[in-house]
Tab-separated table of all heavy atoms in Angstrom:
chain	number	residue	atom	x	y	z
A	14	ARG	N	223.708	118.321	85.436
A	14	ARG	CA	222.732	119.090	86.214
A	14	ARG	C	221.808	118.130	86.970
A	14	ARG	O	221.498	118.328	88.145
A	14	ARG	CB	221.912	119.970	85.274
A	14	ARG	CG	220.985	120.953	85.991
A	14	ARG	CD	220.150	121.757	85.016
A	14	ARG	NE	219.168	120.958	84.299
A	14	ARG	CZ	218.046	120.488	84.864
A	14	ARG	NH1	217.779	120.711	86.134
A	14	ARG	NH2	217.194	119.785	84.137
A	15	LYS	N	221.419	117.043	86.269
A	15	LYS	CA	220.535	116.059	86.924
A	15	LYS	C	221.244	115.346	88.063
A	15	LYS	O	220.690	115.121	89.144
A	15	LYS	CB	220.036	115.045	85.886
A	15	LYS	CG	219.061	115.639	84.900
A	15	LYS	CD	218.627	114.607	83.860
A	15	LYS	CE	217.603	115.208	82.910
A	15	LYS	NZ	217.235	114.253	81.855
A	16	VAL	N	222.529	114.993	87.795
A	16	VAL	CA	223.302	114.323	88.848
A	16	VAL	C	223.365	115.221	90.086
A	16	VAL	O	223.146	114.777	91.215
A	16	VAL	CB	224.726	113.983	88.361
A	16	VAL	CG1	225.598	113.494	89.511
A	16	VAL	CG2	224.653	112.909	87.283
A	17	ARG	N	223.658	116.517	89.855
A	17	ARG	CA	223.751	117.449	90.981
A	17	ARG	C	222.415	117.542	91.725
A	17	ARG	O	222.365	117.559	92.948
A	17	ARG	CB	224.152	118.849	90.484
A	17	ARG	CG	225.655	119.016	90.293
A	17	ARG	CD	226.036	120.482	90.150
A	17	ARG	NE	225.342	121.149	89.034
A	17	ARG	CZ	225.773	121.144	87.772
A	17	ARG	NH1	226.900	120.501	87.462
A	17	ARG	NH2	225.086	121.774	86.836
A	18	ALA	N	221.313	117.571	90.955
A	18	ALA	CA	219.988	117.647	91.585
A	18	ALA	C	219.756	116.429	92.476
A	18	ALA	O	219.273	116.544	93.609
A	18	ALA	CB	218.908	117.748	90.514
A	19	ASN	N	220.116	115.237	91.949
A	19	ASN	CA	219.945	114.009	92.751
A	19	ASN	C	220.759	114.069	94.024
A	19	ASN	O	220.295	113.706	95.117
A	19	ASN	CB	220.349	112.775	91.937
A	19	ASN	CG	219.309	112.444	90.866
A	19	ASN	OD1	218.232	113.052	90.860
A	19	ASN	ND2	219.616	111.527	89.974
A	20	LEU	N	222.041	114.506	93.900
A	20	LEU	CA	222.910	114.592	95.081
A	20	LEU	C	222.312	115.541	96.111
A	20	LEU	O	222.292	115.271	97.312
A	20	LEU	CB	224.314	115.068	94.680
A	20	LEU	CG	225.177	114.043	93.941
A	20	LEU	CD1	226.434	114.690	93.391
A	20	LEU	CD2	225.537	112.873	94.872
A	21	GLU	N	221.795	116.679	95.622
A	21	GLU	CA	221.223	117.671	96.533
A	21	GLU	C	220.007	117.101	97.262
A	21	GLU	O	219.845	117.280	98.461
A	21	GLU	CB	220.828	118.904	95.724
A	21	GLU	CG	220.584	120.121	96.596
A	21	GLU	CD	220.252	121.362	95.769
A	21	GLU	OE1	220.614	121.409	94.568
A	21	GLU	OE2	219.645	122.269	96.342
A	22	LYS	N	219.177	116.376	96.525
A	22	LYS	CA	217.989	115.799	97.161
A	22	LYS	C	218.382	114.790	98.236
A	22	LYS	O	217.851	114.792	99.340
A	22	LYS	CB	217.083	115.136	96.121
A	22	LYS	CG	215.754	114.667	96.703
A	22	LYS	CD	214.835	114.102	95.654
A	22	LYS	CE	213.551	113.537	96.247
A	22	LYS	NZ	212.548	114.580	96.530
A	23	SER	N	219.363	113.914	97.925
A	23	SER	CA	219.695	112.903	98.926
A	23	SER	C	220.383	113.544	100.135
A	23	SER	O	220.203	113.102	101.266
A	23	SER	CB	220.535	111.764	98.317
A	23	SER	OG	221.882	112.146	98.241
A	24	ARG	N	221.157	114.634	99.880
A	24	ARG	CA	221.738	115.355	101.011
A	24	ARG	C	220.630	115.927	101.907
A	24	ARG	O	220.671	115.824	103.129
A	24	ARG	CB	222.631	116.488	100.483
A	24	ARG	CG	223.888	116.661	101.311
A	24	ARG	CD	224.830	117.772	100.893
A	24	ARG	NE	224.347	118.742	99.932
A	24	ARG	CZ	224.791	118.810	98.685
A	24	ARG	NH1	225.688	117.940	98.238
A	24	ARG	NH2	224.327	119.740	97.869
A	25	ALA	N	219.613	116.511	101.286
A	25	ALA	CA	218.497	117.089	102.037
A	25	ALA	C	217.779	116.014	102.837
A	25	ALA	O	217.404	116.206	103.998
A	25	ALA	CB	217.532	117.789	101.082
A	26	GLU	N	217.600	114.824	102.218
A	26	GLU	CA	216.923	113.728	102.927
A	26	GLU	C	217.740	113.275	104.132
A	26	GLU	O	217.197	113.018	105.205
A	26	GLU	CB	216.670	112.565	101.966
A	26	GLU	CG	215.503	112.829	101.039
A	26	GLU	CD	215.413	111.851	99.861
A	26	GLU	OE1	216.391	111.095	99.633
A	26	GLU	OE2	214.381	111.856	99.201
A	27	ASP	N	219.066	113.179	103.942
A	27	ASP	CA	219.944	112.812	105.069
A	27	ASP	C	219.799	113.789	106.216
A	27	ASP	O	219.700	113.405	107.374
A	27	ASP	CB	221.433	112.803	104.621
A	27	ASP	CG	221.731	111.583	103.772
A	27	ASP	OD1	220.845	110.704	103.689
A	27	ASP	OD2	222.838	111.511	103.192
A	28	GLU	N	219.802	115.078	105.853
A	28	GLU	CA	219.693	116.111	106.886
A	28	GLU	C	218.388	115.957	107.660
A	28	GLU	O	218.362	116.010	108.878
A	28	GLU	CB	219.729	117.492	106.223
A	28	GLU	CG	220.856	118.360	106.749
A	28	GLU	CD	220.853	119.741	106.102
A	28	GLU	OE1	219.866	120.094	105.429
A	28	GLU	OE2	221.841	120.461	106.270
A	29	ALA	N	217.289	115.762	106.925
A	29	ALA	CA	215.989	115.603	107.575
A	29	ALA	C	216.016	114.403	108.516
A	29	ALA	O	215.524	114.460	109.640
A	29	ALA	CB	214.897	115.435	106.519
A	30	ALA	N	216.620	113.311	108.067
A	30	ALA	CA	216.686	112.104	108.897
A	30	ALA	C	217.499	112.359	110.161
A	30	ALA	O	217.159	111.871	111.239
A	30	ALA	CB	217.291	110.953	108.097
A	31	GLN	N	218.588	113.144	110.019
A	31	GLN	CA	219.414	113.472	111.194
A	31	GLN	C	218.596	114.204	112.253
A	31	GLN	O	218.623	113.857	113.419
A	31	GLN	CB	220.576	114.378	110.769
A	31	GLN	CG	221.902	113.649	110.640
A	31	GLN	CD	222.928	114.559	109.984
A	31	GLN	OE1	222.630	115.227	109.005
A	31	GLN	NE2	224.121	114.582	110.524
A	32	TYR	N	217.851	115.242	111.813
A	32	TYR	CA	217.028	115.989	112.763
A	32	TYR	C	215.982	115.087	113.392
A	32	TYR	O	215.650	115.197	114.555
A	32	TYR	CB	216.359	117.183	112.077
A	32	TYR	CG	217.287	118.366	111.948
A	32	TYR	CD1	217.851	118.719	110.735
A	32	TYR	CD2	217.620	119.129	113.068
A	32	TYR	CE1	218.724	119.790	110.618
A	32	TYR	CE2	218.484	120.201	112.967
A	32	TYR	CZ	219.035	120.534	111.744
A	32	TYR	OH	219.884	121.586	111.662
A	33	ASP	N	215.456	114.181	112.582
A	33	ASP	CA	214.441	113.260	113.076
A	33	ASP	C	214.995	112.394	114.200
A	33	ASP	O	214.373	112.221	115.237
A	33	ASP	CB	213.967	112.384	111.905
A	33	ASP	CG	212.589	111.847	112.176
A	33	ASP	OD1	211.752	112.614	112.687
A	33	ASP	OD2	212.359	110.654	111.893
A	34	SER	N	216.224	111.875	114.001
A	34	SER	CA	216.768	110.999	115.046
A	34	SER	C	217.173	111.821	116.281
A	34	SER	O	217.066	111.350	117.409
A	34	SER	CB	217.954	110.178	114.512
A	34	SER	OG	219.072	111.017	114.359
A	35	GLU	N	217.594	113.083	116.064
A	35	GLU	CA	217.878	113.974	117.206
A	35	GLU	C	216.600	114.195	118.024
A	35	GLU	O	216.613	114.187	119.257
A	35	GLU	CB	218.426	115.305	116.679
A	35	GLU	CG	218.597	116.402	117.708
A	35	GLU	CD	219.704	116.133	118.724
A	35	GLU	OE1	220.357	115.054	118.658
A	35	GLU	OE2	219.913	116.989	119.588
A	36	TYR	N	215.459	114.358	117.319
A	36	TYR	CA	214.172	114.531	117.996
A	36	TYR	C	213.869	113.320	118.875
A	36	TYR	O	213.479	113.428	120.024
A	36	TYR	CB	213.072	114.723	116.952
A	36	TYR	CG	211.717	115.043	117.528
A	36	TYR	CD1	211.350	116.353	117.799
A	36	TYR	CD2	210.799	114.031	117.805
A	36	TYR	CE1	210.122	116.656	118.329
A	36	TYR	CE2	209.555	114.336	118.338
A	36	TYR	CZ	209.220	115.645	118.600
A	36	TYR	OH	207.992	115.941	119.131
A	37	LYS	N	214.101	112.118	118.304
A	37	LYS	CA	213.846	110.891	119.081
A	37	LYS	C	214.762	110.809	120.291
A	37	LYS	O	214.358	110.410	121.379
A	37	LYS	CB	214.045	109.660	118.180
A	37	LYS	CG	212.980	109.512	117.113
A	37	LYS	CD	213.026	108.120	116.469
A	37	LYS	CE	211.946	107.923	115.416
A	37	LYS	NZ	212.210	108.678	114.169
A	38	ARG	N	216.045	111.209	120.085
A	38	ARG	CA	216.991	111.159	121.199
A	38	ARG	C	216.538	112.080	122.340
A	38	ARG	O	216.571	111.710	123.512
A	38	ARG	CB	218.380	111.588	120.714
A	38	ARG	CG	219.505	111.337	121.707
A	38	ARG	CD	220.815	111.978	121.276
A	38	ARG	NE	220.745	113.431	121.255
A	38	ARG	CZ	220.724	114.204	122.330
A	38	ARG	NH1	220.739	113.660	123.533
A	38	ARG	NH2	220.677	115.516	122.218
A	39	LEU	N	216.082	113.299	121.956
A	39	LEU	CA	215.612	114.247	122.970
A	39	LEU	C	214.386	113.703	123.690
A	39	LEU	O	214.221	113.884	124.891
A	39	LEU	CB	215.292	115.595	122.321
A	39	LEU	CG	216.521	116.417	121.907
A	39	LEU	CD1	216.114	117.568	121.007
A	39	LEU	CD2	217.255	116.953	123.123
A	40	THR	N	213.499	113.024	122.943
A	40	THR	CA	212.314	112.438	123.566
A	40	THR	C	212.730	111.439	124.650
A	40	THR	O	212.190	111.429	125.749
A	40	THR	CB	211.450	111.727	122.497
A	40	THR	OG1	211.100	112.695	121.507
A	40	THR	CG2	210.187	111.150	123.109
A	41	GLU	N	213.730	110.601	124.313
A	41	GLU	CA	214.209	109.631	125.313
A	41	GLU	C	214.823	110.348	126.512
A	41	GLU	O	214.606	109.954	127.662
A	41	GLU	CB	215.248	108.698	124.686
A	41	GLU	CG	214.611	107.601	123.826
A	41	GLU	CD	215.604	106.949	122.863
A	41	GLU	OE1	216.817	106.979	123.148
A	41	GLU	OE2	215.158	106.426	121.832
A	42	ALA	N	215.584	111.423	126.234
A	42	ALA	CA	216.214	112.173	127.330
A	42	ALA	C	215.161	112.756	128.263
A	42	ALA	O	215.298	112.722	129.488
A	42	ALA	CB	217.101	113.290	126.759
A	43	ILE	N	214.065	113.276	127.658
A	43	ILE	CA	212.989	113.844	128.482
A	43	ILE	C	212.371	112.754	129.344
A	43	ILE	O	212.156	112.926	130.547
A	43	ILE	CB	211.914	114.508	127.589
A	43	ILE	CG1	212.472	115.809	126.994
A	43	ILE	CG2	210.644	114.799	128.380
A	43	ILE	CD1	211.596	116.440	125.927
A	44	ALA	N	212.100	111.596	128.749
A	44	ALA	CA	211.500	110.494	129.505
A	44	ALA	C	212.402	110.115	130.673
A	44	ALA	O	211.931	109.894	131.809
A	44	ALA	CB	211.282	109.302	128.588
A	45	GLN	N	213.718	110.059	130.418
A	45	GLN	CA	214.670	109.693	131.462
A	45	GLN	C	214.652	110.723	132.597
A	45	GLN	O	214.578	110.370	133.770
A	45	GLN	CB	216.088	109.599	130.851
A	45	GLN	CG	217.168	109.149	131.823
A	45	GLN	CD	216.836	107.821	132.493
A	45	GLN	OE1	216.457	106.857	131.837
A	45	GLN	NE2	216.905	107.772	133.819
A	46	LYS	N	214.682	112.026	132.207
A	46	LYS	CA	214.663	113.098	133.207
A	46	LYS	C	213.393	113.026	134.049
A	46	LYS	O	213.419	113.215	135.253
A	46	LYS	CB	214.720	114.469	132.532
A	46	LYS	CG	216.109	114.869	132.092
A	46	LYS	CD	216.853	115.639	133.168
A	46	LYS	CE	218.196	116.099	132.686
A	46	LYS	NZ	219.284	115.635	133.540
A	47	ARG	N	212.267	112.766	133.365
A	47	ARG	CA	210.998	112.686	134.105
A	47	ARG	C	211.028	111.522	135.089
A	47	ARG	O	210.537	111.618	136.207
A	47	ARG	CB	209.825	112.517	133.137
A	47	ARG	CG	209.545	113.743	132.304
A	47	ARG	CD	208.170	113.655	131.671
A	47	ARG	NE	207.137	113.927	132.649
A	47	ARG	CZ	206.587	115.122	132.816
A	47	ARG	NH1	206.945	116.129	132.078
A	47	ARG	NH2	205.659	115.306	133.725
A	48	ALA	N	211.638	110.417	134.646
A	48	ALA	CA	211.734	109.250	135.531
A	48	ALA	C	212.608	109.584	136.748
A	48	ALA	O	212.262	109.250	137.889
A	48	ALA	CB	212.306	108.065	134.766
A	49	ASP	N	213.744	110.274	136.488
A	49	ASP	CA	214.607	110.691	137.600
A	49	ASP	C	213.835	111.558	138.580
A	49	ASP	O	213.947	111.420	139.788
A	49	ASP	CB	215.802	111.527	137.081
A	49	ASP	CG	216.754	110.670	136.271
A	49	ASP	OD1	216.591	109.426	136.287
A	49	ASP	OD2	217.661	111.229	135.626
A	50	ARG	N	213.029	112.481	137.996
A	50	ARG	CA	212.280	113.411	138.835
A	50	ARG	C	211.263	112.648	139.689
A	50	ARG	O	211.108	112.905	140.877
A	50	ARG	CB	211.558	114.387	137.907
A	50	ARG	CG	210.721	115.412	138.598
A	50	ARG	CD	209.906	116.170	137.549
A	50	ARG	NE	209.204	117.272	138.167
A	50	ARG	CZ	208.111	117.130	138.882
A	50	ARG	NH1	207.612	115.935	139.100
A	50	ARG	NH2	207.515	118.193	139.417
A	51	MET	N	210.580	111.676	139.055
A	51	MET	CA	209.622	110.864	139.810
A	51	MET	C	210.339	110.105	140.922
A	51	MET	O	209.863	110.009	142.045
A	51	MET	CB	208.912	109.863	138.886
A	51	MET	CG	207.784	110.460	138.070
A	51	MET	SD	206.634	111.466	139.043
A	51	MET	CE	205.845	110.166	140.015
A	52	ALA	N	211.513	109.571	140.590
A	52	ALA	CA	212.269	108.807	141.580
A	52	ALA	C	212.633	109.703	142.764
A	52	ALA	O	212.591	109.279	143.923
A	52	ALA	CB	213.526	108.230	140.947
A	53	LEU	N	212.960	110.961	142.440
A	53	LEU	CA	213.315	111.909	143.491
A	53	LEU	C	212.130	112.111	144.431
A	53	LEU	O	212.263	112.060	145.657
A	53	LEU	CB	213.716	113.246	142.855
A	53	LEU	CG	214.251	114.336	143.769
A	53	LEU	CD1	215.585	113.908	144.377
A	53	LEU	CD2	214.459	115.633	142.991
A	54	LEU	N	210.939	112.293	143.837
A	54	LEU	CA	209.732	112.483	144.660
A	54	LEU	C	209.376	111.204	145.416
A	54	LEU	O	209.033	111.229	146.590
A	54	LEU	CB	208.554	112.884	143.777
A	54	LEU	CG	208.313	114.379	143.635
A	54	LEU	CD1	207.169	114.623	142.678
A	54	LEU	CD2	207.973	115.021	144.973
A	55	ASN	N	209.495	110.050	144.686
A	55	ASN	CA	209.111	108.793	145.324
A	55	ASN	C	210.058	108.437	146.457
A	55	ASN	O	209.674	107.811	147.439
A	55	ASN	CB	209.066	107.653	144.294
A	55	ASN	CG	207.975	107.903	143.264
A	55	ASN	OD1	207.037	108.652	143.518
A	55	ASN	ND2	208.099	107.316	142.093
A	56	GLY	N	211.331	108.843	146.271
A	56	GLY	CA	212.305	108.534	147.312
A	56	GLY	C	212.177	109.452	148.509
A	56	GLY	O	212.700	109.170	149.580
A	57	ALA	N	211.477	110.591	148.314
A	57	ALA	CA	211.376	111.555	149.413
A	57	ALA	C	210.451	111.006	150.491
A	57	ALA	O	209.574	110.191	150.217
A	57	ALA	CB	210.832	112.872	148.879
């Protein structure tokens, strides 16, 4: 039962970390899009 509890906790931690890195990836994507948008205006 304890082994299963440990496995479940580490699985949950992995999942949380995955969402966390997805959040960071989206943040970078937003920054990139904003830069593209600025470039579009600056190039106009």
Side-chain angles (χ1 to χ4, degrees):
R14 188 183 68 74
K15 290 178 178 177
V16 171
R17 277 194 303 274
N19 287 352
L20 287 170
E21 196 177 338
K22 187 176 176 81
S23 81
R24 218 181 12 250
E26 283 167 348
D27 286 351
E28 238 181 12
Q31 258 170 316
Y32 279 106
D33 204 41
S34 73
E35 172 69 359
Y36 186 87
K37 290 194 179 73
R38 191 189 65 73
L39 286 167
T40 302
E41 282 162 25
I43 288 171
Q45 183 55 48
K46 281 269 183 236
R47 291 196 76 96
D49 292 350
R50 179 188 187 283
M51 280 312 290
L53 186 66
L54 266 177
N55 295 338

